[in-house]
PDB file of all heavy atoms in Angstrom:
ATOM      1  N   ILE A   1     -52.153  22.923  45.497  1.00  0.00           N
ATOM      2  CA  ILE A   1     -50.808  22.354  45.611  1.00  0.00           C
ATOM      3  C   ILE A   1     -50.515  21.422  44.445  1.00  0.00           C
ATOM      4  O   ILE A   1     -51.306  20.550  44.138  1.00  0.00           O
ATOM      5  CB  ILE A   1     -50.657  21.540  46.910  1.00  0.00           C
ATOM      6  CG1 ILE A   1     -50.985  22.393  48.130  1.00  0.00           C
ATOM      7  CG2 ILE A   1     -49.253  20.969  47.032  1.00  0.00           C
ATOM      8  CD1 ILE A   1     -51.098  21.591  49.404  1.00  0.00           C
ATOM      9  N   SER A   2     -49.363  21.614  43.826  1.00  0.00           N
ATOM     10  CA  SER A   2     -48.873  20.650  42.846  1.00  0.00           C
ATOM     11  C   SER A   2     -47.357  20.573  42.995  1.00  0.00           C
ATOM     12  O   SER A   2     -46.737  21.455  43.581  1.00  0.00           O
ATOM     13  CB  SER A   2     -49.272  21.041  41.420  1.00  0.00           C
ATOM     14  OG  SER A   2     -48.723  22.287  41.079  1.00  0.00           O
ATOM     15  N   LEU A   3     -46.789  19.493  42.485  1.00  0.00           N
ATOM     16  CA  LEU A   3     -45.345  19.302  42.588  1.00  0.00           C
ATOM     17  C   LEU A   3     -44.689  19.403  41.227  1.00  0.00           C
ATOM     18  O   LEU A   3     -45.240  18.963  40.229  1.00  0.00           O
ATOM     19  CB  LEU A   3     -45.025  17.932  43.192  1.00  0.00           C
ATOM     20  CG  LEU A   3     -45.329  17.748  44.665  1.00  0.00           C
ATOM     21  CD1 LEU A   3     -44.923  16.357  45.120  1.00  0.00           C
ATOM     22  CD2 LEU A   3     -44.632  18.791  45.509  1.00  0.00           C
ATOM     23  N   ASP A   4     -43.498  19.968  41.215  1.00  0.00           N
ATOM     24  CA  ASP A   4     -42.646  20.030  40.032  1.00  0.00           C
ATOM     25  C   ASP A   4     -41.441  19.150  40.327  1.00  0.00           C
ATOM     26  O   ASP A   4     -40.474  19.601  40.940  1.00  0.00           O
ATOM     27  CB  ASP A   4     -42.220  21.478  39.786  1.00  0.00           C
ATOM     28  CG  ASP A   4     -41.152  21.604  38.711  1.00  0.00           C
ATOM     29  OD1 ASP A   4     -40.907  20.621  37.975  1.00  0.00           O
ATOM     30  OD2 ASP A   4     -40.547  22.687  38.612  1.00  0.00           O
ATOM     31  N   PRO A   5     -41.508  17.837  39.926  1.00  0.00           N
ATOM     32  CA  PRO A   5     -40.412  16.925  40.254  1.00  0.00           C
ATOM     33  C   PRO A   5     -39.069  17.354  39.679  1.00  0.00           C
ATOM     34  O   PRO A   5     -38.045  17.186  40.313  1.00  0.00           O
ATOM     35  CB  PRO A   5     -40.851  15.594  39.658  1.00  0.00           C
ATOM     36  CG  PRO A   5     -42.318  15.718  39.440  1.00  0.00           C
ATOM     37  CD  PRO A   5     -42.585  17.180  39.212  1.00  0.00           C
ATOM     38  N   GLY A   6     -39.070  17.919  38.484  1.00  0.00           N
ATOM     39  CA  GLY A   6     -37.815  18.334  37.863  1.00  0.00           C
ATOM     40  C   GLY A   6     -37.115  19.430  38.650  1.00  0.00           C
ATOM     41  O   GLY A   6     -35.905  19.418  38.813  1.00  0.00           O
ATOM     42  N   GLY A   7     -37.897  20.363  39.165  1.00  0.00           N
ATOM     43  CA  GLY A   7     -37.330  21.471  39.928  1.00  0.00           C
ATOM     44  C   GLY A   7     -37.300  21.199  41.415  1.00  0.00           C
ATOM     45  O   GLY A   7     -36.847  22.030  42.182  1.00  0.00           O
ATOM     46  N   GLN A   8     -37.783  20.042  41.806  1.00  0.00           N
ATOM     47  CA  GLN A   8     -37.900  19.640  43.207  1.00  0.00           C
ATOM     48  C   GLN A   8     -38.477  20.786  44.047  1.00  0.00           C
ATOM     49  O   GLN A   8     -37.923  21.226  45.045  1.00  0.00           O
ATOM     50  CB  GLN A   8     -36.567  19.181  43.770  1.00  0.00           C
ATOM     51  CG  GLN A   8     -36.742  18.304  44.991  1.00  0.00           C
ATOM     52  CD  GLN A   8     -35.510  17.531  45.344  1.00  0.00           C
ATOM     53  OE1 GLN A   8     -34.444  18.097  45.520  1.00  0.00           O
ATOM     54  NE2 GLN A   8     -35.657  16.233  45.472  1.00  0.00           N
ATOM     55  N   ARG A   9     -39.624  21.259  43.598  1.00  0.00           N
ATOM     56  CA  ARG A   9     -40.318  22.331  44.295  1.00  0.00           C
ATOM     57  C   ARG A   9     -41.806  22.081  44.193  1.00  0.00           C
ATOM     58  O   ARG A   9     -42.272  21.261  43.404  1.00  0.00           O
ATOM     59  CB  ARG A   9     -39.968  23.683  43.700  1.00  0.00           C
ATOM     60  CG  ARG A   9     -40.445  23.814  42.282  1.00  0.00           C
ATOM     61  CD  ARG A   9     -40.038  25.097  41.643  1.00  0.00           C
ATOM     62  NE  ARG A   9     -40.539  25.086  40.269  1.00  0.00           N
ATOM     63  CZ  ARG A   9     -40.393  26.050  39.423  1.00  0.00           C
ATOM     64  NH1 ARG A   9     -39.754  27.137  39.774  1.00  0.00           N
ATOM     65  NH2 ARG A   9     -40.881  25.965  38.214  1.00  0.00           N
ATOM     66  N   MET A  10     -42.550  22.783  44.993  1.00  0.00           N
ATOM     67  CA  MET A  10     -43.993  22.703  44.885  1.00  0.00           C
ATOM     68  C   MET A  10     -44.500  24.020  44.333  1.00  0.00           C
ATOM     69  O   MET A  10     -43.825  25.046  44.391  1.00  0.00           O
ATOM     70  CB  MET A  10     -44.629  22.396  46.238  1.00  0.00           C
ATOM     71  CG  MET A  10     -44.580  23.500  47.239  1.00  0.00           C
ATOM     72  SD  MET A  10     -45.435  23.028  48.747  1.00  0.00           S
ATOM     73  CE  MET A  10     -44.650  24.136  49.893  1.00  0.00           C
ATOM     74  N   LEU A  11     -45.677  23.935  43.766  1.00  0.00           N
ATOM     75  CA  LEU A  11     -46.374  25.123  43.305  1.00  0.00           C
ATOM     76  C   LEU A  11     -47.596  25.290  44.187  1.00  0.00           C
ATOM     77  O   LEU A  11     -48.363  24.352  44.378  1.00  0.00           O
ATOM     78  CB  LEU A  11     -46.793  24.974  41.846  1.00  0.00           C
ATOM     79  CG  LEU A  11     -45.667  24.727  40.845  1.00  0.00           C
ATOM     80  CD1 LEU A  11     -46.238  24.420  39.473  1.00  0.00           C
ATOM     81  CD2 LEU A  11     -44.725  25.906  40.791  1.00  0.00           C
ATOM     82  N   VAL A  12     -47.755  26.472  44.746  1.00  0.00           N
ATOM     83  CA  VAL A  12     -48.924  26.779  45.561  1.00  0.00           C
ATOM     84  C   VAL A  12     -49.674  27.878  44.828  1.00  0.00           C
ATOM     85  O   VAL A  12     -49.152  28.973  44.639  1.00  0.00           O
ATOM     86  CB  VAL A  12     -48.535  27.227  46.985  1.00  0.00           C
ATOM     87  CG1 VAL A  12     -49.767  27.608  47.780  1.00  0.00           C
ATOM     88  CG2 VAL A  12     -47.764  26.127  47.693  1.00  0.00           C
ATOM     89  N   ASP A  13     -50.878  27.542  44.380  1.00  0.00           N
ATOM     90  CA  ASP A  13     -51.671  28.453  43.564  1.00  0.00           C
ATOM     91  C   ASP A  13     -50.860  28.962  42.379  1.00  0.00           C
ATOM     92  O   ASP A  13     -50.931  30.130  42.006  1.00  0.00           O
ATOM     93  CB  ASP A  13     -52.212  29.615  44.405  1.00  0.00           C
ATOM     94  CG  ASP A  13     -53.250  29.160  45.412  1.00  0.00           C
ATOM     95  OD1 ASP A  13     -54.054  28.258  45.070  1.00  0.00           O
ATOM     96  OD2 ASP A  13     -53.257  29.684  46.542  1.00  0.00           O
ATOM     97  N   GLY A  14     -50.050  28.067  41.796  1.00  0.00           N
ATOM     98  CA  GLY A  14     -49.270  28.388  40.611  1.00  0.00           C
ATOM     99  C   GLY A  14     -47.926  29.053  40.873  1.00  0.00           C
ATOM    100  O   GLY A  14     -47.117  29.175  39.966  1.00  0.00           O
ATOM    101  N   ALA A  15     -47.679  29.481  42.105  1.00  0.00           N
ATOM    102  CA  ALA A  15     -46.419  30.150  42.430  1.00  0.00           C
ATOM    103  C   ALA A  15     -45.413  29.127  42.961  1.00  0.00           C
ATOM    104  O   ALA A  15     -45.747  28.326  43.831  1.00  0.00           O
ATOM    105  CB  ALA A  15     -46.657  31.239  43.473  1.00  0.00           C
ATOM    106  N   PRO A  16     -44.176  29.149  42.446  1.00  0.00           N
ATOM    107  CA  PRO A  16     -43.178  28.176  42.903  1.00  0.00           C
ATOM    108  C   PRO A  16     -42.744  28.450  44.341  1.00  0.00           C
ATOM    109  O   PRO A  16     -42.579  29.596  44.755  1.00  0.00           O
ATOM    110  CB  PRO A  16     -42.015  28.379  41.933  1.00  0.00           C
ATOM    111  CG  PRO A  16     -42.203  29.729  41.362  1.00  0.00           C
ATOM    112  CD  PRO A  16     -43.666  30.045  41.418  1.00  0.00           C
ATOM    113  N   VAL A  17     -42.579  27.365  45.083  1.00  0.00           N
ATOM    114  CA  VAL A  17     -42.093  27.426  46.463  1.00  0.00           C
ATOM    115  C   VAL A  17     -40.978  26.394  46.594  1.00  0.00           C
ATOM    116  O   VAL A  17     -41.195  25.208  46.341  1.00  0.00           O
ATOM    117  CB  VAL A  17     -43.219  27.119  47.474  1.00  0.00           C
ATOM    118  CG1 VAL A  17     -42.693  27.119  48.893  1.00  0.00           C
ATOM    119  CG2 VAL A  17     -44.371  28.109  47.331  1.00  0.00           C
ATOM    120  N   ALA A  18     -39.793  26.841  46.973  1.00  0.00           N
ATOM    121  CA  ALA A  18     -38.648  25.940  47.105  1.00  0.00           C
ATOM    122  C   ALA A  18     -38.819  25.046  48.327  1.00  0.00           C
ATOM    123  O   ALA A  18     -39.336  25.471  49.357  1.00  0.00           O
ATOM    124  CB  ALA A  18     -37.365  26.752  47.224  1.00  0.00           C
ATOM    125  N   LEU A  19     -38.412  23.798  48.188  1.00  0.00           N
ATOM    126  CA  LEU A  19     -38.429  22.830  49.276  1.00  0.00           C
ATOM    127  C   LEU A  19     -37.043  22.234  49.446  1.00  0.00           C
ATOM    128  O   LEU A  19     -36.302  22.114  48.474  1.00  0.00           O
ATOM    129  CB  LEU A  19     -39.407  21.683  48.972  1.00  0.00           C
ATOM    130  CG  LEU A  19     -40.877  22.008  48.843  1.00  0.00           C
ATOM    131  CD1 LEU A  19     -41.633  20.789  48.338  1.00  0.00           C
ATOM    132  CD2 LEU A  19     -41.447  22.463  50.172  1.00  0.00           C
ATOM    133  N   THR A  20     -36.720  21.834  50.667  1.00  0.00           N
ATOM    134  CA  THR A  20     -35.499  21.061  50.870  1.00  0.00           C
ATOM    135  C   THR A  20     -35.768  19.668  50.302  1.00  0.00           C
ATOM    136  O   THR A  20     -36.932  19.279  50.108  1.00  0.00           O
ATOM    137  CB  THR A  20     -35.140  20.943  52.361  1.00  0.00           C
ATOM    138  OG1 THR A  20     -36.129  20.142  53.015  1.00  0.00           O
ATOM    139  CG2 THR A  20     -35.034  22.311  53.025  1.00  0.00           C
ATOM    140  N   PRO A  21     -34.724  18.884  50.029  1.00  0.00           N
ATOM    141  CA  PRO A  21     -34.954  17.526  49.529  1.00  0.00           C
ATOM    142  C   PRO A  21     -35.830  16.678  50.462  1.00  0.00           C
ATOM    143  O   PRO A  21     -36.694  15.934  50.001  1.00  0.00           O
ATOM    144  CB  PRO A  21     -33.542  16.939  49.412  1.00  0.00           C
ATOM    145  CG  PRO A  21     -32.683  18.143  49.153  1.00  0.00           C
ATOM    146  CD  PRO A  21     -33.297  19.234  49.994  1.00  0.00           C
ATOM    147  N   LEU A  22     -35.652  16.800  51.774  1.00  0.00           N
ATOM    148  CA  LEU A  22     -36.478  16.031  52.716  1.00  0.00           C
ATOM    149  C   LEU A  22     -37.933  16.496  52.689  1.00  0.00           C
ATOM    150  O   LEU A  22     -38.855  15.681  52.733  1.00  0.00           O
ATOM    151  CB  LEU A  22     -35.919  16.134  54.132  1.00  0.00           C
ATOM    152  CG  LEU A  22     -34.638  15.355  54.380  1.00  0.00           C
ATOM    153  CD1 LEU A  22     -34.068  15.678  55.749  1.00  0.00           C
ATOM    154  CD2 LEU A  22     -34.874  13.871  54.236  1.00  0.00           C
ATOM    155  N   GLU A  23     -38.146  17.807  52.627  1.00  0.00           N
ATOM    156  CA  GLU A  23     -39.516  18.327  52.550  1.00  0.00           C
ATOM    157  C   GLU A  23     -40.195  17.836  51.271  1.00  0.00           C
ATOM    158  O   GLU A  23     -41.359  17.454  51.289  1.00  0.00           O
ATOM    159  CB  GLU A  23     -39.504  19.860  52.585  1.00  0.00           C
ATOM    160  CG  GLU A  23     -39.110  20.434  53.922  1.00  0.00           C
ATOM    161  CD  GLU A  23     -38.832  21.928  53.874  1.00  0.00           C
ATOM    162  OE1 GLU A  23     -38.690  22.501  52.772  1.00  0.00           O
ATOM    163  OE2 GLU A  23     -38.733  22.522  54.965  1.00  0.00           O
ATOM    164  N   PHE A  24     -39.448  17.833  50.170  1.00  0.00           N
ATOM    165  CA  PHE A  24     -40.006  17.369  48.902  1.00  0.00           C
ATOM    166  C   PHE A  24     -40.416  15.901  48.991  1.00  0.00           C
ATOM    167  O   PHE A  24     -41.497  15.522  48.554  1.00  0.00           O
ATOM    168  CB  PHE A  24     -39.003  17.582  47.764  1.00  0.00           C
ATOM    169  CG  PHE A  24     -39.570  17.261  46.420  1.00  0.00           C
ATOM    170  CD1 PHE A  24     -40.352  18.181  45.754  1.00  0.00           C
ATOM    171  CD2 PHE A  24     -39.333  16.035  45.826  1.00  0.00           C
ATOM    172  CE1 PHE A  24     -40.900  17.884  44.510  1.00  0.00           C
ATOM    173  CE2 PHE A  24     -39.866  15.729  44.586  1.00  0.00           C
ATOM    174  CZ  PHE A  24     -40.648  16.655  43.923  1.00  0.00           C
ATOM    175  N   ARG A  25     -39.563  15.057  49.592  1.00  0.00           N
ATOM    176  CA  ARG A  25     -39.889  13.641  49.730  1.00  0.00           C
ATOM    177  C   ARG A  25     -41.097  13.433  50.641  1.00  0.00           C
ATOM    178  O   ARG A  25     -41.945  12.594  50.352  1.00  0.00           O
ATOM    179  CB  ARG A  25     -38.664  12.873  50.236  1.00  0.00           C
ATOM    180  CG  ARG A  25     -37.621  12.794  49.138  1.00  0.00           C
ATOM    181  CD  ARG A  25     -36.366  12.004  49.372  1.00  0.00           C
ATOM    182  NE  ARG A  25     -36.140  11.321  50.598  1.00  0.00           N
ATOM    183  CZ  ARG A  25     -34.981  11.338  51.255  1.00  0.00           C
ATOM    184  NH1 ARG A  25     -33.977  12.069  50.804  1.00  0.00           N
ATOM    185  NH2 ARG A  25     -34.817  10.632  52.353  1.00  0.00           N
ATOM    186  N   LEU A  26     -41.180  14.186  51.720  1.00  0.00           N
ATOM    187  CA  LEU A  26     -42.344  14.080  52.608  1.00  0.00           C
ATOM    188  C   LEU A  26     -43.622  14.474  51.876  1.00  0.00           C
ATOM    189  O   LEU A  26     -44.636  13.775  51.951  1.00  0.00           O
ATOM    190  CB  LEU A  26     -42.176  14.995  53.825  1.00  0.00           C
ATOM    191  CG  LEU A  26     -41.509  14.433  55.039  1.00  0.00           C
ATOM    192  CD1 LEU A  26     -41.288  15.525  56.080  1.00  0.00           C
ATOM    193  CD2 LEU A  26     -42.329  13.311  55.631  1.00  0.00           C
ATOM    194  N   LEU A  27     -43.581  15.589  51.195  1.00  0.00           N
ATOM    195  CA  LEU A  27     -44.769  16.062  50.482  1.00  0.00           C
ATOM    196  C   LEU A  27     -45.176  15.091  49.388  1.00  0.00           C
ATOM    197  O   LEU A  27     -46.366  14.830  49.189  1.00  0.00           O
ATOM    198  CB  LEU A  27     -44.504  17.454  49.906  1.00  0.00           C
ATOM    199  CG  LEU A  27     -45.726  18.248  49.477  1.00  0.00           C
ATOM    200  CD1 LEU A  27     -46.697  18.436  50.624  1.00  0.00           C
ATOM    201  CD2 LEU A  27     -45.317  19.594  48.930  1.00  0.00           C
ATOM    202  N   THR A  28     -44.205  14.518  48.697  1.00  0.00           N
ATOM    203  CA  THR A  28     -44.500  13.518  47.668  1.00  0.00           C
ATOM    204  C   THR A  28     -45.208  12.315  48.279  1.00  0.00           C
ATOM    205  O   THR A  28     -46.219  11.839  47.756  1.00  0.00           O
ATOM    206  CB  THR A  28     -43.207  13.072  46.955  1.00  0.00           C
ATOM    207  OG1 THR A  28     -42.614  14.209  46.323  1.00  0.00           O
ATOM    208  CG2 THR A  28     -43.481  12.014  45.920  1.00  0.00           C
ATOM    209  N   ALA A  29     -44.702  11.825  49.410  1.00  0.00           N
ATOM    210  CA  ALA A  29     -45.324  10.678  50.086  1.00  0.00           C
ATOM    211  C   ALA A  29     -46.744  11.008  50.525  1.00  0.00           C
ATOM    212  O   ALA A  29     -47.664  10.190  50.373  1.00  0.00           O
ATOM    213  CB  ALA A  29     -44.486  10.251  51.288  1.00  0.00           C
ATOM    214  N   LEU A  30     -46.951  12.200  51.035  1.00  0.00           N
ATOM    215  CA  LEU A  30     -48.290  12.593  51.482  1.00  0.00           C
ATOM    216  C   LEU A  30     -49.253  12.728  50.304  1.00  0.00           C
ATOM    217  O   LEU A  30     -50.406  12.296  50.383  1.00  0.00           O
ATOM    218  CB  LEU A  30     -48.224  13.896  52.280  1.00  0.00           C
ATOM    219  CG  LEU A  30     -47.583  13.761  53.654  1.00  0.00           C
ATOM    220  CD1 LEU A  30     -47.230  15.129  54.224  1.00  0.00           C
ATOM    221  CD2 LEU A  30     -48.499  12.999  54.591  1.00  0.00           C
ATOM    222  N   LEU A  31     -48.795  13.301  49.201  1.00  0.00           N
ATOM    223  CA  LEU A  31     -49.657  13.427  48.022  1.00  0.00           C
ATOM    224  C   LEU A  31     -50.009  12.061  47.453  1.00  0.00           C
ATOM    225  O   LEU A  31     -51.126  11.831  47.022  1.00  0.00           O
ATOM    226  CB  LEU A  31     -48.993  14.301  46.959  1.00  0.00           C
ATOM    227  CG  LEU A  31     -49.061  15.802  47.219  1.00  0.00           C
ATOM    228  CD1 LEU A  31     -48.166  16.556  46.242  1.00  0.00           C
ATOM    229  CD2 LEU A  31     -50.487  16.310  47.138  1.00  0.00           C
ATOM    230  N   ARG A  32     -49.056  11.137  47.474  1.00  0.00           N
ATOM    231  CA  ARG A  32     -49.333   9.774  46.992  1.00  0.00           C
ATOM    232  C   ARG A  32     -50.350   9.073  47.881  1.00  0.00           C
ATOM    233  O   ARG A  32     -51.058   8.176  47.430  1.00  0.00           O
ATOM    234  CB  ARG A  32     -48.057   8.956  46.947  1.00  0.00           C
ATOM    235  CG  ARG A  32     -47.184   9.287  45.777  1.00  0.00           C
ATOM    236  CD  ARG A  32     -46.008   8.349  45.677  1.00  0.00           C
ATOM    237  NE  ARG A  32     -45.148   8.765  44.585  1.00  0.00           N
ATOM    238  CZ  ARG A  32     -43.842   8.745  44.617  1.00  0.00           C
ATOM    239  NH1 ARG A  32     -43.206   8.305  45.691  1.00  0.00           N
ATOM    240  NH2 ARG A  32     -43.141   9.135  43.584  1.00  0.00           N
ATOM    241  N   GLY A  33     -50.407   9.463  49.152  1.00  0.00           N
ATOM    242  CA  GLY A  33     -51.375   8.886  50.076  1.00  0.00           C
ATOM    243  C   GLY A  33     -52.802   9.260  49.734  1.00  0.00           C
ATOM    244  O   GLY A  33     -53.746   8.644  50.226  1.00  0.00           O
TER     245      GLY A  33
END
């Protein structure tokens, strides 16, 4: 898992996965944890 802040999406095994803005914020908070 990695995040692309510019595209507000995550990459799973290098493949882009679209997130809603709320999902992106949740995932960002969890990764920062």
